[in-house]
Amino acid sequence: MYIYEEVKESIREELEEATDMEVTEKDIEKPPEPNMGDFSTSIAFKYAEKKGKSPVKAAEDIKEKMNLENIEKIQVKGPYINFYVKKDKYCSRVLKEAKKEQYGSSEQGKGKTIIVEYSSPNVAKPFHIGHLRSTILGESLKNIYKYLGYKTVAINHLGDWGTQFGKIITAYEKWGEPEKLKEDPIEHLYELYVKFHEEAEKNQELEEEAREHFRNLEDGAEKEEELWEKFRKLSIEKFKETYQRLKVEFDSYKGEAYYVKSGKSHEIVKEAIDKNVAEKEPEGTIIVPLEEKGLTNLIIQKEDGATIYSTRDLAAAKERWEEYKFHENLYVVGSEQNLHFKQVFKTLELLGYKWNERCEHVSYGLVDLPKGSMSTRKGKIIKLEDVLNEAQKRSMKAIKEKNPELENKEEVADEVGKAALIFTNLNQRKNKNIKFKWNKALDFEGDTGPYLQYAHARATGIIKKSSEKTIEKNTSKLIKNNELNDETERLIKEISEFPKNIKKAKEQKETQQISKYLLELTHTFTKFYQKCPVKHAETEELKKIRLETTKAFKNTLKQGLKLLQITPLEEM
Ligand code: ARG
């Protein structure tokens, strides 16, 4: 256990003992002001009720009964009880903990498997900015779970099946250009898809042709199969380029098509009928009636016998359970699919699968990109690649102004640009919509990703400059002998709260828990270095303490940034 948790837990236990009531972690809070101690509780209200006393008196009573090793002072302020930690012991322990490479990590998830399904773009339809949010959010959640000791399986549930393939095959046969397909498959396929719809308005027969091609594809006809295979392969290669740039990695690219081709999609329809969960409508559609459950009915098979998107989700969930016996199965998908997932999970429950409770739709809001800020070729798709390039270009400008000497500008600019995009996505409650603004996202002084990278680079610089010739003395002794000033103490205490925030982020599945923490930590660091010179500290002992504090800060920020999938920079 980290010192922060240890102290909190000991307070909790003592409070239980003193009051003979159940006390939870939530009963112990962080005081609103630093001069009100390090931990605080309002449990005296409940205790007062129980004892028929006034809360103020109850608080006094509780205080009398408490005896805590790591606590220097207990103070009663009205009905509130505030706890002050033993500074030297606490702070030196924090500095030691925060030096470790994996600071904040734990083994709480040992033996548990978490499935995180995210990104999941569609072949031949654009990878849009909503997919970007899913990609970033999913990858970050995966990082957080991993850090806490869970085994994670990252799945990209590619949209690689559906009637659109009939249309694309039709269009490709008529207007396709193999060269263009090679060069930019996603763009070309999307062009063809758009053209198909334009032409189909004038010529009804195209729709019929498309249906025929799709039927052939479902029946495994060679020609269609070959084209489909090619479109899929080229598209994945292209997606992977983007993922590489974002350093996102998947364990599986099992897309929707797999569930059709393996027969699993039809199997689950049969199962649903056998279990009386689904029924056939007079015109031949098979549905799961859900109206009585307050939802709309879920179609799982069309009248022509083809399965659909939802069927494949049912089959996929079942297979995931059989393969991984997951502790949680998370779907990081936009809020426009809220109903869909409710229907799917309800159907799993009706099928008798108790593990439906372990499935969760991690739903997120929309991202609004400013119009006209990028070359959206033909005005139709916002290509992710273009967004990343634009981010890089804009950071390059800022870097050239700030640090013209910097060596690997291109690379740094790409990292800064990505940080701006990623942080804007993650520093927001997930169900909130995002209005993306370039200037705001890239502001080195605002609450942004680049601001955090900049602080990391600054801490690195301070450490480099002050590291030679510091005294070899044990930090905990130094802290004992030297009065820490407020800025140093506050920074160290803030550092101690990192592990707590990782856990909270996991519990709520909110990356904002970490991003907000890192902002606050960095604001505290800024105050620290304005007040406390490191290299030119008043004494050698203070220099050493401040250097150790800066190192602890740097490592905490670094680990936090990595959880958010942002690259900590040494220089920028
Ligand atoms: N391919 C879908 C889309 O782009 C998202 C898939 C979400 N995942 C799922 N299991 N249904 O809208």
Side-chain angles (χ1 to χ4, degrees):
M1 243 198 260
Y2 294 102
I3 181 76
Y4 177 89
E5 299 167 308
E6 205 176 295
V7 173
K8 193 169 179 177
E9 177 57 18
S10 68
I11 295 175
R12 195 195 63 75
E13 280 174 7
E14 276 281 306
L15 282 173
E16 277 203 336
E17 190 125 314
T19 58
D20 203 17
M21 300 187 315
E22 194 193 335
V23 179
T24 68
E25 214 204 326
K26 292 205 174 71
D27 292 314
I28 303 158
E29 292 147 61
K30 185 177 178 167
E33 299 290 332
N35 61 6
M36 294 165 100
D38 302 303
F39 296 92
S40 165
T41 182
S42 57
I43 197 86
F45 285 104
K46 259 198 249 165
Y47 188 60
E49 253 176 63
K50 183 176 151 188
K51 290 278 168 186
K53 285 183 182 171
S54 79
V56 179
K57 183 80 190 47
E60 284 291 350
D61 279 6
I62 296 172
K63 179 192 163 181
E64 280 317 302
K65 290 191 207 162
M66 296 196 76
N67 175 21
L68 286 157
E69 197 195 316
N70 287 313
I71 296 297
E72 175 84 46
K73 181 170 100 182
I74 304 177
Q75 172 193 60
V76 171
K77 268 211 165 144
Y80 299 99
I81 311 172
N82 300 330
F83 301 87
Y84 294 75
V85 298
K86 281 187 184 145
K87 244 186 261 174
D88 53 351
K89 235 176 131 184
Y90 190 88
C91 290
S92 54
R93 189 63 193 273
V94 175
L95 291 184
K96 206 166 138 202
E97 287 172 351
K99 252 205 281 205
K100 300 217 176 91
E101 177 65 24
Q102 297 274 81
Y103 173 49
S105 66
S106 85
E107 297 207 337
Q108 74 174 74
K110 213 173 163 188
K112 294 184 179 132
T113 301
I114 307 292
I115 301 207
V116 191
E117 188 218 282
Y118 57 103
S119 199
S120 310
N122 301 312
V123 172
K125 286 191 195 164
F127 188 112
H128 54 71
I129 208 78
H131 287 119
L132 173 65
R133 193 165 184 197
S134 168
T135 309
I136 291 170
L137 194 54
E139 183 74 12
S140 180
L141 287 175
K142 179 183 87 177
N143 295 342
I144 292 166
Y145 273 95
K146 259 199 184 154
Y147 213 62
L148 296 177
Y150 294 86
K151 178 173 182 265
T152 57
V153 183
I155 299 183
N156 195 328
H157 188 73
L158 275 186
D160 58 359
W161 200 254
T163 48
Q164 78 263 30
F165 281 95
K167 297 175 184 172
I168 297 161
I169 291 172
T170 308
Y172 187 75
E173 293 216 305
K174 292 194 188 314
W175 316 293
E177 295 172 43
E179 277 307 305
K180 276 195 181 172
L181 184 70
K182 269 241 166 70
E183 204 180 294
D184 193 338
I186 295 171
E187 173 143 307
H188 188 49
L189 292 175
Y190 185 61
E191 260 169 27
L192 290 172
Y193 185 71
V194 172
K195 186 163 168 96
F196 176 91
H197 285 279
E198 283 165 7
E199 296 293 321
E201 265 176 37
K202 292 175 256 165
N203 176 3
Q204 298 285 309
E205 275 159 38
L206 281 177
E207 292 282 358
E208 187 39 51
E209 249 180 80
R211 269 192 289 275
E212 169 128 12
H213 276 305
F214 186 59
R215 246 190 320 267
N216 291 343
L217 182 60
E218 289 214 297
D219 294 341
E222 206 173 304
K223 185 177 79 181
E224 280 83 359
E225 176 84 23
E226 212 169 89
L227 282 173
W228 171 82
E229 193 71 63
K230 184 150 131 195
F231 297 159
R232 182 181 193 271
K233 188 173 145 256
L234 291 172
S235 298
I236 291 183
E237 277 169 15
K238 191 77 192 168
F239 288 138
K240 280 190 177 166
E241 279 174 26
T242 303
Y243 294 140
Q244 232 165 39
R245 190 159 169 189
L246 292 166
K247 302 195 182 89
V248 165
E249 274 177 46
F250 292 96
D251 299 301
S252 154
Y253 278 87
K254 206 180 256 181
E256 293 182 40
Y258 161 81
Y259 297 96
V260 177
K261 292 174 174 290
S262 62
K264 290 184 187 244
S265 211
H266 274 110
E267 274 166 34
I268 199 113
V269 175
K270 188 170 175 300
E271 181 182 335
I273 288 179
D274 289 348
K275 289 184 174 169
N276 274 326
V277 167
E279 60 193 40
K280 206 172 197 149
E281 297 277 81
E283 44 1 302
T285 339
I286 297 179
I287 61 153
V288 179
L290 293 174
E291 272 168 7
E292 277 176 25
K293 318 268 175 211
L295 299 168
T296 44
N297 297 341
L298 181 66
I299 299 175
I300 56 174
Q301 189 173 302
K302 291 191 292 187
E303 44 185 287
D304 63 3
T307 61
I308 65 169
Y309 180 59
S310 55
T311 332
R312 301 192 276 274
D313 260 328
L314 293 170
K318 187 177 170 191
E319 189 183 79
R320 285 179 199 173
W321 172 253
E322 283 163 0
E323 197 168 337
Y324 301 107
K325 297 282 181 283
F326 49 73
H327 182 66
E328 287 179 79
N329 175 24
L330 308 178
Y331 298 85
V332 186
V333 183
S335 54
E336 68 279 2
Q337 297 197 32
N338 283 355
L339 174 63
H340 165 77
F341 283 105
K342 278 191 191 138
Q343 292 171 312
V344 168
F345 299 160
K346 195 59 171 175
T347 303
L348 291 172
E349 184 192 326
L350 295 173
L351 286 168
Y353 296 130
K354 287 232 163 49
W355 47 261
N356 79 308
E357 289 168 3
R358 300 177 183 219
C359 299
E360 184 176 335
H361 176 203
V362 179
S363 166
Y364 60 82
L366 299 174
V367 187
D368 200 4
L369 267 187
K371 282 200 185 68
S373 71
M374 283 175 330
S375 57
T376 58
R377 262 174 273 170
K378 295 180 201 73
K380 281 181 190 116
I381 356 172
I382 294 174
K383 292 208 305 172
L384 186 58
E385 214 180 322
D386 293 341
V387 183
L388 290 172
N389 290 342
E390 182 72 16
Q392 181 181 28
K393 203 178 90 198
R394 288 178 185 245
S395 348
M396 190 62 151
K397 222 177 122 224
I399 289 167
K400 276 188 179 151
E401 279 164 23
K402 285 198 179 262
N403 190 358
E405 315 278 79
L406 189 70
E407 266 176 26
N408 47 347
K409 281 198 207 64
E410 291 274 327
E411 217 178 287
V412 172
D414 195 38
E415 293 300 347
V416 173
K418 284 187 295 181
L421 273 174
I422 292 176
F423 196 81
T424 310
N425 272 281
L426 296 182
N427 188 35
Q428 176 66 278
R429 292 197 86 77
K430 57 185 180 297
N431 58 14
K432 281 260 175 75
N433 295 350
I434 291 174
K435 243 196 153 68
F436 189 85
K437 291 209 175 85
W438 286 110
N439 292 345
K440 242 180 118 189
L442 280 163
D443 186 356
F444 283 31
E445 266 115 56
D447 284 351
T448 63
Y451 165 70
L452 295 180
Q453 284 177 314
Y454 196 57
H456 184 270
R458 177 155 284 178
T460 308
I462 294 174
I463 295 166
K464 259 193 208 139
K465 266 190 256 151
S466 344
S467 273
E468 343 114 30
K469 282 205 275 168
T470 47
I471 42 168
E472 291 284 332
K473 250 194 194 165
N474 176 299
T475 329
S476 87
K477 276 214 186 88
L478 286 176
I479 291 187
K480 216 172 245 152
N481 299 339
N482 289 274
E483 182 72 15
L484 293 182
N485 61 6
D486 284 354
E487 285 75 18
T488 312
E489 187 187 322
R490 217 159 283 163
L491 180 57
I492 297 177
K493 285 182 174 167
E494 190 92 39
I495 289 171
S496 78
E497 291 184 38
F498 182 47
K500 170 187 90 177
N501 282 290
I502 304 174
K503 283 193 179 151
K504 271 202 184 164
K506 181 244 141 194
E507 274 155 29
Q508 304 169 3
K509 302 186 180 72
E510 285 288 3
T511 51
Q512 197 198 47
Q513 198 66 45
I514 294 176
S515 61
K516 284 263 182 289
Y517 165 76
L518 292 181
L519 286 173
E520 206 142 296
L521 176 74
T522 300
H523 294 156
T524 311
F525 171 70
T526 306
K527 285 187 200 128
F528 162 83
Y529 87 69
Q530 281 166 355
K531 265 280 180 64
C532 314
V534 182
K535 190 176 177 187
H536 302 293
E538 298 87 307
T539 66
E540 282 304 306
E541 297 207 337
L542 279 177
K543 176 173 169 183
K544 174 82 176 175
I545 294 174
R546 289 176 189 170
L547 180 64
E548 291 300 313
T549 307
T550 308
K551 281 185 184 167
F553 162 75
K554 178 187 156 173
N555 189 42
T556 308
L557 181 57
K558 177 175 159 194
Q559 303 309 329
L561 286 172
K562 278 162 69 179
L563 289 175
L564 299 181
Q565 198 65 9
I566 293 175
T567 308
L569 296 170
E570 300 279 303
E571 214 186 328
M572 69 185 263

